[in-house]
Amino acid sequence: MSFFEVSDPAFGRFVMGNAPVKKLATGFDWVEGPVWFGDLDCLLFSDIPNNRVMRWTPDGTLTTFRSPSNFSNGHTRDRQGRLVSCEHGTRRVTRTEYDGSITVIADSFEGKRLNSPNDVIVASDGAIWFSDPHYGIATDYEGTKSEQELPCNVYRVDPSGTIAAVLTDFNCPNGLAFSPDEKRLYVADTGRMHSNDPQHIRVFDVDSNWKLTGGEVFHVIDKGCADGMRLDSEGNLWSSAADGVHCIAPDGHLMGKILVPETVSNLCFGGRGKHRLFITATTSIYAISLNRKGAL
């Protein structure tokens, strides 16, 4: 069975016929938030309903990194290499310090509790951007069913700690990703669960003061919806989808797909040379080596 579906011939140069999609571990309930630690040679990822963050190493060892995890979802690393996490259970964004202590980055806005921070990225100026849909408080499956106090926004926490709602016209903002030059911000809107609200990826222009303009629809995933996203070093966007991972060119057209037998939630580049794509998909994690490198 082919692991790929090619829509643009150029996609053939991104993948390799002898590099399979490999299942690395399975037996989870809903995996999310993969983040690669090259200095520790490991992948961390969330098993949200089981309230834990797992650690996988290239020798195949799987261990629990953190339990309970406060129903953590998305993760990233800041410019100092520290883990930054979105926690559904505590409705906050946190940073794990070098000594293992936890610093709260954000848990409220204008006196009201956040919903359930979902995805997070860190810009070159050190500011932390995160999406805050309601998924972690809508049911007891990925957190605790609770009252929603704020709209579903995208926030920016500047290096001084000041938080601002920078995008307020989304139904359920989800995955976030900057282009390699940080002149574009991509945001997935996964709509509201069990509804016909919009599900697409929008793109914003970012100026030198981090002000956003634009916001047009960049791409609509044809199978399921976009959730987690990453960019390669040439500005192609790799997005999760119901049938695998979709590769989308900078102009918004579909280049091709990596086919995965489970619904994909998120992904990240890592491994030697940042050419390996790690994929979280429903109950399992997968990986494939590409002829691409992830953006810094």
Side-chain angles (χ1 to χ4, degrees):
M1 182 183 99
S2 173
F3 297 105
F4 313 112
E5 184 177 301
V6 178
S7 300
D8 182 327
F11 184 67
R13 300 194 301 270
F14 295 6
V15 297
M16 297 174 286
N18 62 345
V21 174
K22 298 179 68 174
K23 182 182 289 186
L24 305 180
T26 192
F28 312 104
D29 284 344
W30 177 245
V31 284
E32 253 282 10
V35 57
W36 177 254
F37 277 72
D39 46 346
L40 300 177
D41 200 27
C42 71
L43 180 78
L44 299 184
F45 62 95
S46 297
D47 182 10
I48 303 176
N50 290 309
N51 197 17
R52 59 185 180 171
V53 175
M54 305 301 294
R55 179 199 291 114
W56 175 89
T57 56
D59 64 1
T61 300
L62 184 70
T63 56
T64 299
F65 171 77
R66 177 174 292 161
S67 179
S69 66
N70 296 321
F71 296 95
S72 290
N73 187 336
H75 305 279
T76 192
R77 300 184 76 181
D78 68 9
R79 297 292 163 151
Q80 291 73 46
R82 297 168 295 189
L83 177 68
V84 180
S85 303
C86 293
E87 299 178 1
H88 284 180
T90 50
R91 302 168 73 158
R92 66 186 188 179
V93 178
T94 64
R95 181 177 64 235
T96 301
E97 307 296 349
Y98 299 128
D99 63 3
S101 62
I102 302 297
T103 297
V104 177
I105 302 299
D107 60 7
S108 63
F109 179 66
E110 296 183 340
K112 297 179 180 180
R113 291 180 297 173
L114 298 174
N115 298 318
S116 53
N118 188 291
D119 198 19
V120 60
I121 53 178
V122 179
S124 59
D125 68 342
I128 295 171
W129 300 61
F130 67 93
S131 59
D132 188 40
H134 71 291
Y135 296 132
I137 59 172
T139 70
D140 290 315
Y141 187 58
E142 294 186 29
T144 301
K145 188 173 183 179
S146 306
E147 176 188 0
Q148 181 174 341
E149 300 179 20
L150 288 166
C152 298
N153 298 325
V154 174
Y155 296 93
R156 177 181 181 268
V157 184
D158 72 20
S160 73
T162 301
I163 182 172
V166 292
L167 295 174
T168 59
D169 63 341
F170 279 75
N171 287 315
C172 276
N174 204 316
L176 308 172
F178 280 116
S179 61
D181 61 7
E182 296 185 317
K183 293 183 177 180
R184 296 177 119 191
L185 173 68
Y186 300 91
V187 184
D189 193 337
T190 48
R192 297 187 182 274
M193 290 187 296
H194 314 302
S195 78
N196 294 316
D197 285 334
Q199 298 185 339
H200 47 228
I201 302 169
R202 294 169 61 187
V203 62
F204 297 83
D205 294 319
V206 186
D207 71 13
S208 59
N209 294 313
W210 303 99
K211 181 181 178 181
L212 304 177
T213 56
E216 64 272 13
V217 173
F218 171 71
H219 186 84
V220 178
I221 297 293
D222 66 354
K223 300 291 184 181
C225 60
D227 191 338
M229 306 178 292
R230 293 292 187 276
L231 278 289
D232 65 27
S233 60
E234 295 185 5
N236 302 294
L237 186 146
W238 299 75
S239 172
S240 60
D243 57 348
V245 176
H246 294 193
C247 179
I248 305 158
D251 66 1
H253 81 271
L254 177 67
M255 300 194 72
K257 301 179 180 182
I258 300 171
L259 303 177
V260 179
E262 299 183 74
T263 297
V264 174
S265 61
N266 213 327
L267 51 110
C268 73
F269 285 92
R272 180 178 58 84
K274 296 193 72 176
H275 71 289
R276 198 173 190 194
L277 191 68
F278 293 96
I279 301 164
T280 52
T282 313
T283 67
S284 309
I285 56 171
Y286 298 82
I288 183 170
S289 293
L290 301 174
N291 191 26
R292 299 285 97 185
K293 291 188 176 184
L296 294 177

